[in-house]
Amino acid sequence: MDEADMDGITELRDRYLGAIEAAGDEAALEAVRLSALGKKGEVSALMRSLGGMSAEERKTAGPALNALKDDLNTAILTARVRLADAALEARLATEWADVTLPPRPRAEGTIHPVSQVRDEVIAIFADLGFSVAEGPQVETDWYNFDALNIPGHHPARAEMDTFYMARAEGDNRPPHVLRTHTSPVQIRHMEANGVPCRVIAPGRVFRADYDQTHTPMFHQIEGLAIDRDISMANLKWVLEEFFSAFFGTSVKTRFRASHFPFTEPSAEVDIQCSWVGGQLKVGEGDGWLEVLGSGMVHPNVLRAAGVDPEQWQGFAFGMGIDRIAMLKYGIPDLRAFFDSDLRWLRHYGFAALDMPSIHAGVSR
Ligand code: DAH
């Protein structure tokens, strides 16, 4: 190998080291590698030419070419690491997320006062040992009326402004009804689960009625406690505990003798309140506000549910969820509950994390 060839190697080394240095990405670097060290690369061709040289020539050319090959390989390896680092840096720079930025504003829904109050009531009664029972909104006339000691001719049937379902032409069975109250759940629960029991049954009920305090669909909550020796005294204690927890202040109740077909004796229950400057305050003053119907479950009702009234007795009550929601949160018109007016919902609705509990506002 003569001087000229050695110069050629120096030239090759400079040229390829320059190209390796200049490669802007891994693809360009690979192209450089192939043109030098690939099968048809310039350096590979020179390596092959070693075979045609004299032993003397090979002695100098061999090591020189090997050194060139090693230098280029080392330079390529170094460049590859450099390019990979740079690519990662570039990705990190563009994919960077600023976790300190505030979130994009999102339209928030609210919990409807009826849902809120239903959950509050359930939470309080759960603490008093009551579980939740359910029944269908389309009810047979047996469960809605007869089983509750309201026979066909009873005036209570007419008074309830019942919605009747349609029967097929010629089908003379009594039509199903939209349940007019949650009381049929008493029967269904005792039938399915027996006694003793302590349940509440919240749900929708329906009556053909419409004014400031009546809507054709509204919500009730039924209560039922049956055991060997449950009395009106237990009922009064449970209700006072409930109203005091619900309104967050000690609330007295007043029982007024009344009549319901499904209870004997029956009582309507008022809670203590005051009206000051048109403002209603529960739990103070000497006014009274009717909030529910109740009584000792009638023996006929127990019998209809397959429970022996000689062995078992207990109380039941029914109250309007919407009504106590209006009282607690100062909502004046029942009809607005069901208008789905977003301004109303935003005003009276609750945040999703306003979790009800018996500990939320009791001050006794
Ligand atoms: N079901 C009655 C109504 O809708 C309310 C009621 C009264 C329920 C007395 C009861 C009760 O469980 O004992 O007006």
Side-chain angles (χ1 to χ4, degrees):
M1 195 179 211
D2 57 25
E3 280 299 307
D5 289 338
M6 292 305 284
D7 286 352
I9 288 178
T10 305
E11 187 272 330
L12 269 182
R13 172 181 281 108
D14 291 347
R15 179 149 54 83
Y16 277 110
L17 286 180
I20 290 165
E21 193 60 37
D25 56 32
E26 295 188 56
L29 182 64
E30 178 64 6
V32 174
R33 190 187 69 79
L34 286 173
S35 67
L37 303 168
K39 251 195 207 140
K40 295 177 182 156
E42 269 186 281
V43 178
S44 307
L46 284 177
M47 297 292 283
R48 276 196 299 277
S49 74
L50 282 174
M53 290 180 190
S54 68
E56 192 60 26
E57 282 174 325
R58 240 193 328 262
K59 221 168 160 184
T60 40
L65 281 175
N66 271 322
L68 170 63
K69 201 174 132 189
D70 286 351
D71 288 353
L72 294 186
N73 271 327
T74 307
I76 287 168
L77 224 65
T78 311
R80 194 170 282 151
V81 170
R82 173 174 49 78
L83 289 173
D85 283 354
L88 181 62
E89 283 303 322
R91 248 187 78 191
L92 287 176
T94 55
E95 292 178 7
W96 179 77
D98 185 351
V99 295
T100 68
L101 285 176
R104 292 196 181 88
R106 258 205 268 168
E108 261 178 41
T110 58
I111 306 295
H112 195 285
V114 171
S115 306
Q116 176 78 13
V117 165
R118 181 200 53 215
D119 291 349
E120 289 175 10
V121 173
I122 290 173
I124 295 168
F125 275 105
D127 272 0
L128 294 171
F130 287 71
S131 54
V132 172
E134 282 181 328
Q137 292 174 15
V138 175
E139 195 47 287
T140 65
D141 77 332
W142 163 257
Y143 283 109
N144 196 78
F145 295 121
D146 301 76
L148 289 163
N149 200 33
I150 313 174
H153 54 81
H154 197 285
R157 273 203 198 210
E159 281 162 23
M160 279 200 164
D161 302 309
T162 312
F163 286 111
Y164 293 92
M165 307 294 289
R167 281 272 186 217
E169 191 84 38
D171 185 339
N172 292 324
R173 291 173 302 168
H176 290 343
V177 301
L178 295 184
R179 68 178 178 194
T180 57
H181 49 182
T182 44
S183 302
V185 184
Q186 291 184 28
I187 309 292
R188 287 185 177 274
H189 180 79
M190 285 189 282
E191 254 178 9
N193 303 282
V195 287
C197 68
R198 289 177 204 191
V199 288
I200 52 168
R204 294 188 162 174
V205 300
F206 306 84
R207 291 181 203 176
D209 205 353
Y210 189 68
D211 61 31
Q212 194 180 340
T213 53
H214 296 91
T215 49
M217 185 281 299
F218 58 106
H219 300 84
Q220 282 189 339
I221 198 146
E222 193 79 12
L224 176 70
I226 303 291
D227 211 320
R228 302 268 177 202
D229 54 6
I230 287 185
S231 71
M232 289 289 268
N234 300 127
L235 170 65
K236 188 166 168 83
W237 182 84
V238 163
L239 291 179
E240 289 194 348
E241 280 300 296
F242 165 71
F243 283 117
S244 298
F246 182 74
F247 288 106
T249 178
S250 180
V251 178
K252 285 201 176 63
T253 60
R254 182 174 75 174
F255 280 52
R256 276 181 295 104
S258 181
H259 174 79
F260 299 104
F262 26 89
T263 43
E264 183 57 40
S266 303
E268 279 174 311
V269 176
D270 304 337
I271 53 174
Q272 176 195 11
C273 70
S274 72
W275 290 96
V276 183
Q279 249 240 302
L280 175 75
K281 290 230 172 81
V282 173
E284 59 180 57
D286 49 13
W288 296 99
L289 204 67
E290 187 198 323
V291 283
L292 60 81
S294 65
M296 295 299 291
V297 178
H298 197 288
N300 288 349
V301 173
L302 293 173
R303 242 175 252 121
V307 173
D308 179 1
E310 300 298 324
Q311 304 280 329
W312 304 96
Q313 63 180 36
F315 63 74
F317 61 86
M319 73 184 146
I321 296 180
D322 324 83
R323 182 160 165 71
I324 61 170
M326 290 168 80
L327 293 177
K328 179 166 178 179
Y329 295 111
I331 308 172
D333 191 326
L334 176 64
R335 291 169 297 194
F337 273 70
F338 311 116
D339 283 345
S340 301
D341 182 328
L342 284 177
R343 292 163 304 175
W344 188 93
L345 291 168
R346 285 192 193 110
H347 182 78
Y348 287 111
F350 292 82
L353 291 176
D354 261 345
M355 293 298 280
S357 99
I358 198 168
H359 311 293
V362 196
S363 56
R364 284 178 7 124

mmCIF file of all heavy atoms in Angstrom, residues 157-199:
data_model
loop_
_atom_site.group_PDB
_atom_site.id
_atom_site.type_symbol
_atom_site.label_atom_id
_atom_site.label_comp_id
_atom_site.label_asym_id
_atom_site.label_seq_id
_atom_site.Cartn_x
_atom_site.Cartn_y
_atom_site.Cartn_z
ATOM 1 N N ARG A 157 -111.296 5.166 48.222
ATOM 2 C CA ARG A 157 -110.941 4.888 46.828
ATOM 3 C C ARG A 157 -111.277 6.065 45.942
ATOM 4 O O ARG A 157 -110.471 6.457 45.092
ATOM 5 C CB ARG A 157 -111.721 3.679 46.317
ATOM 6 C CG ARG A 157 -111.024 2.419 46.611
ATOM 7 C CD ARG A 157 -111.466 1.339 45.651
ATOM 8 N NE ARG A 157 -111.091 0.077 46.265
ATOM 9 C CZ ARG A 157 -110.772 -1.006 45.571
ATOM 10 N NH1 ARG A 157 -110.838 -1.007 44.267
ATOM 11 N NH2 ARG A 157 -110.414 -2.091 46.200
ATOM 12 N N ALA A 158 -112.478 6.597 46.151
ATOM 13 C CA ALA A 158 -112.924 7.719 45.329
ATOM 14 C C ALA A 158 -112.096 8.963 45.638
ATOM 15 O O ALA A 158 -111.736 9.721 44.734
ATOM 16 C CB ALA A 158 -114.404 7.989 45.585
ATOM 17 N N GLU A 159 -111.741 9.123 46.916
ATOM 18 C CA GLU A 159 -111.010 10.332 47.328
ATOM 19 C C GLU A 159 -109.606 10.398 46.752
ATOM 20 O O GLU A 159 -108.971 11.443 46.771
ATOM 21 C CB GLU A 159 -110.903 10.376 48.859
ATOM 22 C CG GLU A 159 -112.164 10.862 49.542
ATOM 23 C CD GLU A 159 -112.182 10.479 51.021
ATOM 24 O OE1 GLU A 159 -111.093 10.246 51.581
ATOM 25 O OE2 GLU A 159 -113.283 10.393 51.586
ATOM 26 N N MET A 160 -109.077 9.270 46.294
ATOM 27 C CA MET A 160 -107.659 9.247 45.951
ATOM 28 C C MET A 160 -107.331 9.715 44.546
ATOM 29 O O MET A 160 -106.176 9.756 44.159
ATOM 30 C CB MET A 160 -107.087 7.872 46.204
ATOM 31 C CG MET A 160 -106.761 7.693 47.684
ATOM 32 S SD MET A 160 -105.602 6.375 47.932
ATOM 33 C CE MET A 160 -105.023 6.666 49.589
ATOM 34 N N ASP A 161 -108.345 10.087 43.756
ATOM 35 C CA ASP A 161 -108.096 10.594 42.394
ATOM 36 C C ASP A 161 -107.153 9.676 41.618
ATOM 37 O O ASP A 161 -106.136 10.100 41.089
ATOM 38 C CB ASP A 161 -107.493 12.006 42.446
ATOM 39 C CG ASP A 161 -108.408 12.972 43.179
ATOM 40 O OD1 ASP A 161 -109.600 13.033 42.824
ATOM 41 O OD2 ASP A 161 -107.937 13.655 44.106
ATOM 42 N N THR A 162 -107.521 8.405 41.605
ATOM 43 C CA THR A 162 -106.645 7.373 41.058
ATOM 44 C C THR A 162 -106.526 7.421 39.527
ATOM 45 O O THR A 162 -107.514 7.662 38.840
ATOM 46 C CB THR A 162 -107.197 5.989 41.468
ATOM 47 O OG1 THR A 162 -107.471 6.023 42.857
ATOM 48 C CG2 THR A 162 -106.220 4.892 41.121
ATOM 49 N N PHE A 163 -105.324 7.182 39.038
ATOM 50 C CA PHE A 163 -105.117 6.958 37.594
ATOM 51 C C PHE A 163 -105.256 5.460 37.333
ATOM 52 O O PHE A 163 -104.540 4.661 37.935
ATOM 53 C CB PHE A 163 -103.697 7.358 37.180
ATOM 54 C CG PHE A 163 -103.470 8.847 37.118
ATOM 55 C CD1 PHE A 163 -102.630 9.461 38.045
ATOM 56 C CD2 PHE A 163 -104.048 9.621 36.111
ATOM 57 C CE1 PHE A 163 -102.391 10.829 37.980
ATOM 58 C CE2 PHE A 163 -103.802 10.980 36.043
ATOM 59 C CZ PHE A 163 -102.973 11.585 36.976
ATOM 60 N N TYR A 164 -106.149 5.103 36.440
ATOM 61 C CA TYR A 164 -106.336 3.685 36.108
ATOM 62 C C TYR A 164 -105.637 3.336 34.806
ATOM 63 O O TYR A 164 -105.656 4.120 33.856
ATOM 64 C CB TYR A 164 -107.830 3.358 35.998
ATOM 65 C CG TYR A 164 -108.542 3.458 37.333
ATOM 66 C CD1 TYR A 164 -109.156 4.648 37.731
ATOM 67 C CD2 TYR A 164 -108.558 2.376 38.202
ATOM 68 C CE1 TYR A 164 -109.777 4.747 38.965
ATOM 69 C CE2 TYR A 164 -109.188 2.469 39.443
ATOM 70 C CZ TYR A 164 -109.789 3.657 39.818
ATOM 71 O OH TYR A 164 -110.388 3.754 41.039
ATOM 72 N N MET A 165 -105.046 2.145 34.752
ATOM 73 C CA MET A 165 -104.455 1.650 33.506
ATOM 74 C C MET A 165 -105.579 1.102 32.633
ATOM 75 O O MET A 165 -106.647 0.749 33.139
ATOM 76 C CB MET A 165 -103.442 0.534 33.789
ATOM 77 C CG MET A 165 -102.377 0.896 34.805
ATOM 78 S SD MET A 165 -101.267 2.195 34.235
ATOM 79 C CE MET A 165 -100.350 1.307 32.986
ATOM 80 N N ALA A 166 -105.318 0.984 31.337
ATOM 81 C CA ALA A 166 -106.339 0.468 30.425
ATOM 82 C C ALA A 166 -106.298 -1.062 30.412
ATOM 83 O O ALA A 166 -105.243 -1.671 30.562
ATOM 84 C CB ALA A 166 -106.092 1.015 29.028
ATOM 85 N N ARG A 167 -107.453 -1.684 30.278
ATOM 86 C CA ARG A 167 -107.557 -3.128 30.045
ATOM 87 C C ARG A 167 -107.974 -3.335 28.599
ATOM 88 O O ARG A 167 -108.609 -2.470 27.990
ATOM 89 C CB ARG A 167 -108.632 -3.740 30.945
ATOM 90 C CG ARG A 167 -108.183 -3.961 32.377
ATOM 91 C CD ARG A 167 -107.531 -5.318 32.524
ATOM 92 N NE ARG A 167 -107.222 -5.611 33.928
ATOM 93 C CZ ARG A 167 -106.124 -6.256 34.298
ATOM 94 N NH1 ARG A 167 -105.240 -6.636 33.409
ATOM 95 N NH2 ARG A 167 -105.922 -6.517 35.567
ATOM 96 N N ALA A 168 -107.659 -4.489 28.051
ATOM 97 C CA ALA A 168 -108.099 -4.811 26.687
ATOM 98 C C ALA A 168 -109.629 -4.849 26.657
ATOM 99 O O ALA A 168 -110.269 -5.152 27.668
ATOM 100 C CB ALA A 168 -107.527 -6.149 26.263
ATOM 101 N N GLU A 169 -110.193 -4.538 25.520
ATOM 102 C CA GLU A 169 -111.646 -4.607 25.301
ATOM 103 C C GLU A 169 -112.157 -5.978 25.746
ATOM 104 O O GLU A 169 -111.576 -7.007 25.369
ATOM 105 C CB GLU A 169 -111.925 -4.405 23.802
ATOM 106 C CG GLU A 169 -113.384 -4.195 23.448
ATOM 107 C CD GLU A 169 -113.821 -2.736 23.615
ATOM 108 O OE1 GLU A 169 -113.011 -1.829 23.298
ATOM 109 O OE2 GLU A 169 -114.953 -2.519 24.065
ATOM 110 N N GLY A 170 -113.181 -5.984 26.579
ATOM 111 C CA GLY A 170 -113.762 -7.274 26.973
ATOM 112 C C GLY A 170 -113.077 -7.924 28.169
ATOM 113 O O GLY A 170 -113.549 -8.941 28.670
ATOM 114 N N ASP A 171 -111.958 -7.381 28.611
ATOM 115 C CA ASP A 171 -111.286 -7.891 29.810
ATOM 116 C C ASP A 171 -111.889 -7.181 31.012
ATOM 117 O O ASP A 171 -111.674 -5.984 31.204
ATOM 118 C CB ASP A 171 -109.783 -7.610 29.714
ATOM 119 C CG ASP A 171 -109.012 -8.239 30.875
ATOM 120 O OD1 ASP A 171 -109.636 -8.530 31.919
ATOM 121 O OD2 ASP A 171 -107.790 -8.436 30.730
ATOM 122 N N ASN A 172 -112.651 -7.939 31.806
ATOM 123 C CA ASN A 172 -113.406 -7.284 32.877
ATOM 124 C C ASN A 172 -112.734 -7.340 34.241
ATOM 125 O O ASN A 172 -113.335 -6.963 35.248
ATOM 126 C CB ASN A 172 -114.812 -7.886 32.969
ATOM 127 C CG ASN A 172 -115.620 -7.531 31.731
ATOM 128 O OD1 ASN A 172 -115.484 -6.419 31.187
ATOM 129 N ND2 ASN A 172 -116.411 -8.474 31.251
ATOM 130 N N ARG A 173 -111.486 -7.809 34.267
ATOM 131 C CA ARG A 173 -110.785 -7.773 35.555
ATOM 132 C C ARG A 173 -110.570 -6.319 35.950
ATOM 133 O O ARG A 173 -110.477 -5.446 35.090
ATOM 134 C CB ARG A 173 -109.440 -8.477 35.434
ATOM 135 C CG ARG A 173 -109.560 -9.988 35.251
ATOM 136 C CD ARG A 173 -108.215 -10.593 34.965
ATOM 137 N NE ARG A 173 -107.602 -10.006 33.770
ATOM 138 C CZ ARG A 173 -106.341 -10.189 33.413
ATOM 139 N NH1 ARG A 173 -105.537 -10.899 34.166
ATOM 140 N NH2 ARG A 173 -105.871 -9.653 32.301
ATOM 141 N N PRO A 174 -110.481 -6.056 37.261
ATOM 142 C CA PRO A 174 -110.244 -4.657 37.666
ATOM 143 C C PRO A 174 -108.925 -4.158 37.087
ATOM 144 O O PRO A 174 -107.946 -4.911 37.056
ATOM 145 C CB PRO A 174 -110.184 -4.730 39.197
ATOM 146 C CG PRO A 174 -110.076 -6.177 39.550
ATOM 147 C CD PRO A 174 -110.611 -6.970 38.405
ATOM 148 N N PRO A 175 -108.888 -2.935 36.618
ATOM 149 C CA PRO A 175 -107.660 -2.430 36.001
ATOM 150 C C PRO A 175 -106.559 -2.202 37.033
ATOM 151 O O PRO A 175 -106.848 -1.972 38.212
ATOM 152 C CB PRO A 175 -108.091 -1.094 35.397
ATOM 153 C CG PRO A 175 -109.276 -0.671 36.198
ATOM 154 C CD PRO A 175 -109.970 -1.921 36.634
ATOM 155 N N HIS A 176 -105.307 -2.304 36.577
ATOM 156 C CA HIS A 176 -104.197 -1.886 37.427
ATOM 157 C C HIS A 176 -104.273 -0.369 37.618
ATOM 158 O O HIS A 176 -104.942 0.330 36.850
ATOM 159 C CB HIS A 176 -102.860 -2.246 36.785
ATOM 160 C CG HIS A 176 -102.607 -3.728 36.766
ATOM 161 N ND1 HIS A 176 -103.297 -4.625 37.549
ATOM 162 C CD2 HIS A 176 -101.731 -4.467 36.050
ATOM 163 C CE1 HIS A 176 -102.864 -5.847 37.330
ATOM 164 N NE2 HIS A 176 -101.912 -5.788 36.407
ATOM 165 N N VAL A 177 -103.571 0.114 38.622
ATOM 166 C CA VAL A 177 -103.581 1.556 38.890
ATOM 167 C C VAL A 177 -102.137 2.049 38.978
ATOM 168 O O VAL A 177 -101.211 1.256 39.170
ATOM 169 C CB VAL A 177 -104.300 1.865 40.229
ATOM 170 C CG1 VAL A 177 -105.728 1.365 40.183
ATOM 171 C CG2 VAL A 177 -103.547 1.257 41.414
ATOM 172 N N LEU A 178 -101.947 3.361 38.794
ATOM 173 C CA LEU A 178 -100.675 3.954 39.219
ATOM 174 C C LEU A 178 -100.819 4.106 40.725
ATOM 175 O O LEU A 178 -101.783 4.706 41.192
ATOM 176 C CB LEU A 178 -100.474 5.312 38.554
ATOM 177 C CG LEU A 178 -100.315 5.283 37.028
ATOM 178 C CD1 LEU A 178 -100.013 6.690 36.513
ATOM 179 C CD2 LEU A 178 -99.206 4.326 36.615
ATOM 180 N N ARG A 179 -99.913 3.531 41.488
ATOM 181 C CA ARG A 179 -100.118 3.507 42.941
ATOM 182 C C ARG A 179 -100.360 4.922 43.458
ATOM 183 O O ARG A 179 -99.679 5.868 43.060
ATOM 184 C CB ARG A 179 -98.949 2.833 43.650
ATOM 185 C CG ARG A 179 -97.658 3.612 43.595
ATOM 186 C CD ARG A 179 -96.562 2.888 44.379
ATOM 187 N NE ARG A 179 -95.306 3.615 44.299
ATOM 188 C CZ ARG A 179 -94.128 3.117 44.652
ATOM 189 N NH1 ARG A 179 -94.027 1.886 45.115
ATOM 190 N NH2 ARG A 179 -93.038 3.845 44.549
ATOM 191 N N THR A 180 -101.359 5.033 44.337
ATOM 192 C CA THR A 180 -101.738 6.350 44.852
ATOM 193 C C THR A 180 -100.971 6.682 46.126
ATOM 194 O O THR A 180 -101.057 7.795 46.627
ATOM 195 C CB THR A 180 -103.240 6.377 45.158
ATOM 196 O OG1 THR A 180 -103.527 5.322 46.097
ATOM 197 C CG2 THR A 180 -104.052 6.161 43.897
ATOM 198 N N HIS A 181 -100.265 5.675 46.658
ATOM 199 C CA HIS A 181 -99.455 5.873 47.864
ATOM 200 C C HIS A 181 -98.416 4.757 47.943
ATOM 201 O O HIS A 181 -98.460 3.808 47.146
ATOM 202 C CB HIS A 181 -100.320 5.916 49.135
ATOM 203 C CG HIS A 181 -101.311 4.785 49.270
ATOM 204 N ND1 HIS A 181 -102.188 4.684 50.305
ATOM 205 C CD2 HIS A 181 -101.544 3.692 48.485
ATOM 206 C CE1 HIS A 181 -102.926 3.586 50.163
ATOM 207 N NE2 HIS A 181 -102.555 2.982 49.071
ATOM 208 N N THR A 182 -97.456 4.893 48.876
ATOM 209 C CA THR A 182 -96.434 3.857 49.006
ATOM 210 C C THR A 182 -96.888 2.735 49.947
ATOM 211 O O THR A 182 -96.158 1.754 50.134
ATOM 212 C CB THR A 182 -95.110 4.473 49.522
ATOM 213 O OG1 THR A 182 -95.399 5.382 50.591
ATOM 214 C CG2 THR A 182 -94.378 5.194 48.404
ATOM 215 N N SER A 183 -98.099 2.855 50.502
ATOM 216 C CA SER A 183 -98.564 1.846 51.466
ATOM 217 C C SER A 183 -98.589 0.414 50.931
ATOM 218 O O SER A 183 -98.344 -0.525 51.701
ATOM 219 C CB SER A 183 -99.940 2.249 52.015
ATOM 220 O OG SER A 183 -99.863 3.521 52.624
ATOM 221 N N PRO A 184 -98.894 0.175 49.631
ATOM 222 C CA PRO A 184 -98.868 -1.215 49.158
ATOM 223 C C PRO A 184 -97.517 -1.909 49.361
ATOM 224 O O PRO A 184 -97.472 -3.143 49.435
ATOM 225 C CB PRO A 184 -99.213 -1.111 47.660
ATOM 226 C CG PRO A 184 -99.195 0.336 47.309
ATOM 227 C CD PRO A 184 -99.404 1.079 48.586
ATOM 228 N N VAL A 185 -96.446 -1.148 49.490
ATOM 229 C CA VAL A 185 -95.143 -1.774 49.721
ATOM 230 C C VAL A 185 -95.122 -2.491 51.083
ATOM 231 O O VAL A 185 -94.419 -3.484 51.260
ATOM 232 C CB VAL A 185 -93.993 -0.743 49.617
ATOM 233 C CG1 VAL A 185 -92.645 -1.430 49.760
ATOM 234 C CG2 VAL A 185 -94.069 0.021 48.304
ATOM 235 N N GLN A 186 -95.945 -2.013 52.034
ATOM 236 C CA GLN A 186 -96.071 -2.721 53.323
ATOM 237 C C GLN A 186 -96.438 -4.180 53.081
ATOM 238 O O GLN A 186 -95.814 -5.093 53.622
ATOM 239 C CB GLN A 186 -97.195 -2.103 54.167
ATOM 240 C CG GLN A 186 -96.945 -0.715 54.701
ATOM 241 C CD GLN A 186 -98.101 -0.273 55.608
ATOM 242 O OE1 GLN A 186 -98.769 -1.093 56.233
ATOM 243 N NE2 GLN A 186 -98.351 1.030 55.665
ATOM 244 N N ILE A 187 -97.509 -4.377 52.275
ATOM 245 C CA ILE A 187 -98.015 -5.729 52.023
ATOM 246 C C ILE A 187 -96.952 -6.555 51.302
ATOM 247 O O ILE A 187 -96.628 -7.679 51.705
ATOM 248 C CB ILE A 187 -99.286 -5.687 51.141
ATOM 249 C CG1 ILE A 187 -100.306 -4.704 51.715
ATOM 250 C CG2 ILE A 187 -99.872 -7.092 50.982
ATOM 251 C CD1 ILE A 187 -100.910 -5.108 53.016
ATOM 252 N N ARG A 188 -96.410 -5.973 50.219
ATOM 253 C CA ARG A 188 -95.425 -6.721 49.427
ATOM 254 C C ARG A 188 -94.220 -7.104 50.283
ATOM 255 O O ARG A 188 -93.688 -8.206 50.161
ATOM 256 C CB ARG A 188 -94.968 -5.878 48.238
ATOM 257 C CG ARG A 188 -96.036 -5.771 47.159
ATOM 258 C CD ARG A 188 -95.507 -5.043 45.945
ATOM 259 N NE ARG A 188 -96.495 -5.001 44.872
ATOM 260 C CZ ARG A 188 -96.663 -5.963 43.982
ATOM 261 N NH1 ARG A 188 -95.913 -7.056 44.034
ATOM 262 N NH2 ARG A 188 -97.580 -5.860 43.032
ATOM 263 N N HIS A 189 -93.797 -6.187 51.143
ATOM 264 C CA HIS A 189 -92.610 -6.491 51.941
ATOM 265 C C HIS A 189 -92.887 -7.622 52.929
ATOM 266 O O HIS A 189 -92.096 -8.553 53.066
ATOM 267 C CB HIS A 189 -92.105 -5.257 52.685
ATOM 268 C CG HIS A 189 -90.883 -5.567 53.501
ATOM 269 N ND1 HIS A 189 -89.627 -5.655 52.947
ATOM 270 C CD2 HIS A 189 -90.734 -5.890 54.818
ATOM 271 C CE1 HIS A 189 -88.756 -5.998 53.887
ATOM 272 N NE2 HIS A 189 -89.402 -6.145 55.028
ATOM 273 N N MET A 190 -94.031 -7.550 53.637
ATOM 274 C CA MET A 190 -94.328 -8.586 54.634
ATOM 275 C C MET A 190 -94.553 -9.931 53.953
ATOM 276 O O MET A 190 -94.112 -10.970 54.457
ATOM 277 C CB MET A 190 -95.543 -8.183 55.476
ATOM 278 C CG MET A 190 -95.225 -7.093 56.491
ATOM 279 S SD MET A 190 -96.567 -6.784 57.662
ATOM 280 C CE MET A 190 -97.697 -5.794 56.675
ATOM 281 N N GLU A 191 -95.230 -9.925 52.803
ATOM 282 C CA GLU A 191 -95.437 -11.169 52.059
ATOM 283 C C GLU A 191 -94.120 -11.833 51.708
ATOM 284 O O GLU A 191 -93.942 -13.034 51.861
ATOM 285 C CB GLU A 191 -96.176 -10.852 50.750
ATOM 286 C CG GLU A 191 -97.620 -11.262 50.749
ATOM 287 C CD GLU A 191 -98.286 -10.877 49.440
ATOM 288 O OE1 GLU A 191 -97.594 -10.450 48.493
ATOM 289 O OE2 GLU A 191 -99.505 -10.994 49.375
ATOM 290 N N ALA A 192 -93.170 -11.010 51.208
ATOM 291 C CA ALA A 192 -91.917 -11.566 50.694
ATOM 292 C C ALA A 192 -90.928 -11.895 51.815
ATOM 293 O O ALA A 192 -90.137 -12.827 51.681
ATOM 294 C CB ALA A 192 -91.278 -10.592 49.701
ATOM 295 N N ASN A 193 -90.957 -11.121 52.901
ATOM 296 C CA ASN A 193 -89.897 -11.252 53.907
ATOM 297 C C ASN A 193 -90.387 -11.655 55.290
ATOM 298 O O ASN A 193 -89.578 -11.927 56.168
ATOM 299 C CB ASN A 193 -89.125 -9.932 54.025
ATOM 300 C CG ASN A 193 -88.554 -9.500 52.693
ATOM 301 O OD1 ASN A 193 -87.550 -10.023 52.246
ATOM 302 N ND2 ASN A 193 -89.243 -8.576 52.036
ATOM 303 N N GLY A 194 -91.701 -11.655 55.481
ATOM 304 C CA GLY A 194 -92.235 -12.003 56.787
ATOM 305 C C GLY A 194 -91.969 -10.921 57.823
ATOM 306 O O GLY A 194 -91.552 -9.811 57.508
ATOM 307 N N VAL A 195 -92.236 -11.293 59.091
ATOM 308 C CA VAL A 195 -92.027 -10.363 60.195
ATOM 309 C C VAL A 195 -91.158 -11.075 61.229
ATOM 310 O O VAL A 195 -91.087 -12.305 61.195
ATOM 311 C CB VAL A 195 -93.387 -9.940 60.806
ATOM 312 C CG1 VAL A 195 -94.120 -8.994 59.874
ATOM 313 C CG2 VAL A 195 -94.240 -11.158 61.163
ATOM 314 N N PRO A 196 -90.497 -10.367 62.153
ATOM 315 C CA PRO A 196 -90.525 -8.918 62.358
ATOM 316 C C PRO A 196 -89.834 -8.165 61.225
ATOM 317 O O PRO A 196 -89.051 -8.743 60.480
ATOM 318 C CB PRO A 196 -89.754 -8.741 63.667
ATOM 319 C CG PRO A 196 -88.832 -9.909 63.711
ATOM 320 C CD PRO A 196 -89.599 -11.044 63.088
ATOM 321 N N CYS A 197 -90.151 -6.867 61.128
ATOM 322 C CA CYS A 197 -89.499 -6.069 60.098
ATOM 323 C C CYS A 197 -89.473 -4.596 60.489
ATOM 324 O O CYS A 197 -90.283 -4.140 61.302
ATOM 325 C CB CYS A 197 -90.217 -6.226 58.755
ATOM 326 S SG CYS A 197 -91.862 -5.507 58.718
ATOM 327 N N ARG A 198 -88.502 -3.901 59.933
ATOM 328 C CA ARG A 198 -88.442 -2.435 60.045
ATOM 329 C C ARG A 198 -87.969 -1.933 58.706
ATOM 330 O O ARG A 198 -86.802 -2.118 58.353
ATOM 331 C CB ARG A 198 -87.413 -2.004 61.070
ATOM 332 C CG ARG A 198 -87.792 -2.275 62.480
ATOM 333 C CD ARG A 198 -86.639 -1.864 63.355
ATOM 334 N NE ARG A 198 -86.707 -2.587 64.599
ATOM 335 C CZ ARG A 198 -85.961 -2.290 65.641
ATOM 336 N NH1 ARG A 198 -85.094 -1.308 65.570
ATOM 337 N NH2 ARG A 198 -86.069 -2.972 66.754
ATOM 338 N N VAL A 199 -88.869 -1.334 57.957
ATOM 339 C CA VAL A 199 -88.484 -0.840 56.629
ATOM 340 C C VAL A 199 -89.060 0.547 56.372
ATOM 341 O O VAL A 199 -90.063 0.960 56.977
ATOM 342 C CB VAL A 199 -88.985 -1.779 55.495
ATOM 343 C CG1 VAL A 199 -88.207 -3.072 55.463
ATOM 344 C CG2 VAL A 199 -90.478 -2.037 55.608
#
